[in-house]
Amino acid sequence: MGKVEEDMNCIYRDPNEPVEARIRDLLSRMTLKEKVGQMTQIERRVATPDAIKDLSIGGILSACGSGPFQKALSSDWADLVDGFQKSALESRLGIPLIYGVDAVHGHSSVYGATIFPHNIGLGATRDADLVQKIGEATALEVRATGIQCTFAPCVAVCRDPRWGRCYESYSEDTEIVRKMTSIVTGLQGQLPHIHPKGYPFVAGRNNVIACAKHFVGDGGTDRGKNEGNTILSYEDLEMIHMAPYLDCISQGVSTIMASYSSWNECKLHANRFLLTEILKDKLGFKGFIFSDWAGLDRLSDPRGTNYRSCISSAVNAGIDMVMVPYDFKKFVEGLIDLVESGEISMARIDDAVERILRVKFVAGLFEFPFTNRSLLDTVGCKLHRDLAREAVRKSLVLLKNGKDPKKSFLPLDKNAKRICVFGTHADNLGYQCGGWTMKWSGGNGRITIGTTILDAIKAAAGDETEVVYEQNPSADTLARQDFSFAIVAVGEEPYVEGLGDNSELVIPLNGTDIISSVADSIPTLVILVSGRPLLLEPLLLDKIDALIAAWLPGSEGGGIADVVFGDFDFKGRLPVTWFKQVEQLPLHIGIDSCDFLFPLGFGLTCNKERSLD
Ligand code: GLC
């Protein structure tokens, strides 16, 4: 079937026509196959020009790091995305693609992009303006690569640090998460004064389509089990986990992603009450709902024989665009068959496609389907790296500052004669970026362009200062008595999703022994690089002189040296409660207990003020 005749008088092609008129006009021209195609999102590795054209595919995504080739530049990414878009515009009705990626802490799939602190560190800043600016910077770097949609922000309220996605949550405290939703305005642009309630919004070509996720209760599962079951009354689910979505919707969030998890044993992907009756009808959300990656397959029985019924459950529940992401033929055929058999109504299909088209029209994809290449130089630019460095500074939480209450240990003297730096995380960019960086599970070592903690210390230290570095401190080095102080950086290796579920929460990679051996002989600052609170034995805590929770700071390690050497004071405050023993978990705001190691909101400054929320 050829491309629609060049009937430029079509209403849907006229940007001067109201969006709703353009939607109605285009919908009226679409076949069932084209409507189903728009509800289909596929991963780029299975996206062929013919499939995109023939099926009128609605969306493509790159799994984290799934780009043209290793260390591809933003221009290579733009060529890749524009190539797919060209195929889409060659379809009969020429409906442009939405291309999505997980730019969850900067455009972290792209080599050389600015990597911001993960959300738990941003929650420690309590700084909504800063987070909005991070959204603006991220949007520019994403659009520079031709991509117009990010699967962010994650607005999970993490109630248990055993959850592998704890670091993707801004806080255990709903009110802090609500404040950090300012990133939606950063990503999509400032809403005009008059904006219809629940309507999607994207200001222009320097902004992206945001996606609030994962609706709803993903951070509240029993024992923090990833994709587990959240056992709560509706009132508590609404108060604790749903509240941030109202803030996202009030900022015009264009898409929302359903959670893999369940609420009282009912999977969100098949939960019509929450997806349609609450999110769409009661809250008035007018954008569209993504499934999560292979979210429909998660509904299936172990044998996977009932995929057709999974499609029926999910689409009838209110899922609009399905992140298949690979076997799209099975999905398209199954959905068409379900509509033709009457198990899914055409009204439900039209509702889904209307919402998808609404976001595409609002985002200007019909007018500007291709990359704005004037943005290429924004990727990893100094302005953005300086912003990330500011975010690192403000995210650090000072938990101990001196063994003697009257004598602070920090700030350290950058002109000391000789200092030593130890630990697995002192010179490892991959470790300080964490998961969702360059690939889904993150990486080890120089995975992109950035500044490690060691790089930053060396850059800040005086010309006469000798900096001795060993990842694992040797006995000979520890035996020397001429170090002014030691800095030990340890913590977690990168992890993602269920791979990060952990019920022990000890400092891995022999971190505790490294700390102990150094602190036995040298005055020691410990920098903990982790996605969550970890077990800190009291004896260990007594041995060290100072302790900083650095979370997962990203590419700009310079922000750590800035506060360690006193150029800036600490501002960070705990976004989570710090437990004493894992047996206490869950231990969070709302639970009546004071038996924590450090409370939510705790954070010292160098002038010894103890700041709480
Ligand atoms: C993942 C995650 C989701 C992400 C999606 C696409 O499994 O649950 O947060 O946006 O797949 O990568």
Side-chain angles (χ1 to χ4, degrees):
M1 195 182 299
K3 196 168 162 335
V4 67
E5 63 289 347
E6 286 307 317
D7 167 8
M8 291 318 286
N9 299 326
C10 307
I11 291 174
Y12 83 88
R13 286 186 176 281
D14 182 349
N16 299 313
E17 287 289 341
V19 164
E20 294 305 307
R22 300 179 76 180
I23 293 170
R24 278 193 301 277
D25 177 53
L26 180 47
L27 199 61
S28 69
R29 298 166 184 269
M30 295 173 75
T31 64
L32 171 59
K33 184 178 170 190
E34 287 164 334
K35 292 176 181 178
V36 166
Q38 284 299 301
M39 295 172 67
T40 308
Q41 184 180 44
I42 60 179
E43 213 280 334
R44 66 158 197 95
R45 282 165 288 191
V46 298
T48 62
D50 287 348
I52 295 167
K53 268 189 287 195
D54 298 348
L55 293 173
S56 186
I57 291 287
I60 296 181
L61 80 148
S62 276
C64 188
S66 171
F69 44 83
Q70 281 288 340
K71 293 191 179 181
L73 301 176
S74 37
S75 54
D76 302 314
W77 278 84
D79 294 343
L80 172 81
V81 175
D82 285 352
F84 289 129
Q85 192 66 287
K86 182 171 171 295
S87 298
L89 299 183
E90 289 167 356
S91 63
R92 185 178 77 87
L93 292 168
I95 303 172
L97 285 169
I98 282 185
Y99 198 107
V101 75
D102 291 279
V104 296
H105 65 139
H107 196 359
S108 53
S109 286
V110 173
Y111 184 79
T114 310
I115 308 296
F116 294 94
H118 267 295
N119 287 355
I120 191 167
L122 299 182
T125 71
R126 307 294 200 277
D127 189 334
D129 292 340
L130 170 74
V131 167
Q132 181 171 326
K133 289 192 184 89
I134 289 173
E136 289 161 10
T138 302
L140 287 171
E141 299 199 20
V142 170
R143 287 306 298 253
T145 60
I147 298 174
Q148 330 95 351
C149 173
T150 176
F151 305 120
C154 175
V155 293
V157 180
C158 177
R159 308 291 269 188
D160 193 320
R162 290 174 290 189
W163 186 33
R165 306 191 75 164
C166 180
Y167 65 83
E168 295 185 64
S169 166
Y170 292 107
S171 175
E172 69 184 43
D173 179 347
T174 302
E175 291 313 305
I176 296 173
V177 177
R178 294 189 59 192
K179 201 173 170 190
M180 299 296 109
T181 62
S182 59
I183 195 166
V184 172
T185 296
L187 290 166
Q188 298 193 151
Q190 186 69 51
L191 275 192
H193 285 304
I194 310 289
H195 185 75
K197 179 178 179 306
Y199 215 79
F201 177 77
V202 180
R205 301 181 74 187
N206 293 352
N207 301 100
V208 291
I209 295 160
C211 176
K213 69 184 186 181
H214 311 79
F215 188 84
V216 62
D218 51 346
T221 59
D222 183 35
R223 285 170 290 110
K225 186 175 179 329
N226 188 53
E227 303 186 19
N229 184 38
T230 298
I231 306 161
L232 280 178
S233 67
Y234 175 75
E235 290 66 29
D236 284 346
L237 182 76
E238 194 178 52
M239 180 181 64
I240 299 166
H241 297 283
M242 207 178 285
Y245 288 89
L246 277 73
D247 298 288
C248 293
I249 291 168
S250 69
Q251 294 174 74
V253 73
S254 298
T255 69
I256 288 176
M257 186 183 291
S259 178
Y260 286 131
S261 59
S262 301
W263 173 52
N264 298 341
E265 301 298 344
C266 178
K267 286 240 174 222
L268 260 295
H269 273 70
N271 196 313
R272 189 176 189 287
F273 169 67
L274 289 174
L275 295 181
T276 296
E277 293 175 41
I278 298 299
L279 182 54
K280 292 181 176 177
D281 297 346
K282 182 182 173 197
L283 301 184
F285 176 59
K286 301 276 187 306
F288 72 81
I289 300 176
F290 274 113
S291 83
D292 201 336
W293 176 283
L296 274 57
D297 305 69
R298 284 348 195 237
L299 299 176
S300 176
D301 60 33
R303 296 183 313 285
T305 53
N306 62 338
Y307 185 64
R308 186 178 179 279
S309 67
C310 298
I311 299 171
S312 176
S313 304
V315 173
N316 277 326
I319 299 279
D320 299 310
M321 185 178 280
V322 172
M323 192 184 289
V324 178
Y326 293 125
D327 192 348
F328 57 86
K329 285 196 176 67
K330 187 168 79 167
F331 171 70
V332 166
E333 286 161 9
L335 183 48
I336 288 172
D337 182 49
L338 284 159
V339 177
E340 287 173 345
S341 69
E343 288 170 73
I344 294 180
S345 70
M346 184 56 86
R348 174 69 271 272
I349 298 298
D350 286 348
D351 171 60
V353 178
E354 258 175 48
R355 290 167 178 274
I356 292 164
L357 295 179
R358 181 171 296 130
V359 172
K360 291 185 175 183
F361 282 123
V362 159
L365 301 191
F366 283 79
E367 285 66 54
F368 302 106
F370 295 110
T371 309
N372 173 3
R373 298 202 181 220
S374 69
L375 299 177
L376 285 173
D377 292 344
T378 65
V379 179
C381 67
K382 184 178 183 314
L383 196 63
H384 293 175
R385 289 186 187 277
D386 288 348
L387 178 65
R389 183 166 178 162
E390 177 190 353
V392 171
R393 284 198 295 270
K394 293 179 174 179
S395 69
L396 304 178
V397 181
L398 183 55
L399 296 173
K400 180 176 182 180
N401 188 15
K403 288 178 178 173
D404 170 353
K406 295 190 186 63
K407 194 174 176 312
S408 297
F409 187 70
L410 296 179
L412 298 178
D413 177 4
K414 64 175 71 171
N415 296 305
K417 190 167 172 21
R418 184 173 293 103
I419 65 177
C420 49
V421 181
F422 302 120
T424 49
H425 289 59
D427 194 30
N428 195 319
L429 202 56
Y431 282 10
Q432 75 189 48
C433 288
W436 295 105
T437 316
M438 299 311 293
K439 62 182 170 53
W440 182 61
S441 51
N444 186 348
R446 290 276 171 190
I447 60 171
T448 186
I449 296 168
T451 304
T452 66
I453 295 169
L454 179 65
D455 294 337
I457 292 167
K458 285 180 174 174
D463 295 343
E464 305 307 312
T465 301
E466 182 190 356
V467 179
V468 172
Y469 166 65
E470 290 178 346
Q471 180 176 319
N472 290 305
S474 63
D476 292 350
T477 302
L478 293 180
R480 291 172 59 171
Q481 297 301 316
D482 56 355
F483 290 114
S484 308
F485 51 76
I487 298 174
V488 177
V490 292
E492 296 186 296
E493 289 176 295
Y495 50 81
V496 275
E497 303 192 42
L499 300 178
D501 283 6
N502 181 329
S503 56
E504 311 300 320
L505 296 179
V506 297
I507 302 176
L509 302 172
N510 210 21
T512 303
D513 292 346
I514 293 173
I515 295 170
S516 190
S517 63
V518 175
D520 280 342
S521 47
I522 308 169
T524 297
L525 159 65
V526 171
I527 298 173
L528 189 60
V529 179
S530 67
R532 53 197 161 188
L534 297 176
L535 179 63
L536 295 168
E537 298 292 353
L539 277 179
L540 189 75
L541 210 44
D542 290 345
K543 267 189 182 182
I544 64 179
D545 297 84
L547 172 63
I548 296 170
W551 317 113
L552 297 171
S555 59
E556 305 312 307
I560 294 176
D562 290 343
V563 287
V564 162
F565 292 114
D567 294 346
F568 291 83
D569 200 351
F570 287 85
K571 293 189 74 170
R573 282 170 286 159
L574 286 182
V576 290
T577 303
W578 205 292
F579 60 87
K580 284 180 178 170
Q581 299 295 335
V582 289
E583 290 71 23
Q584 295 176 286
L585 297 176
L587 180 64
H588 54 67
I589 186 171
I591 289 181
D592 185 14
S593 162
C594 291
D595 189 26
F596 35 65
L597 188 59
F598 301 103
L600 172 74
F602 181 83
L604 299 173
T605 64
C606 280
N607 62 22
K608 294 298 285 180
E609 255 171 51
R610 178 189 154 107
S611 57
L612 276 170
D613 278 329

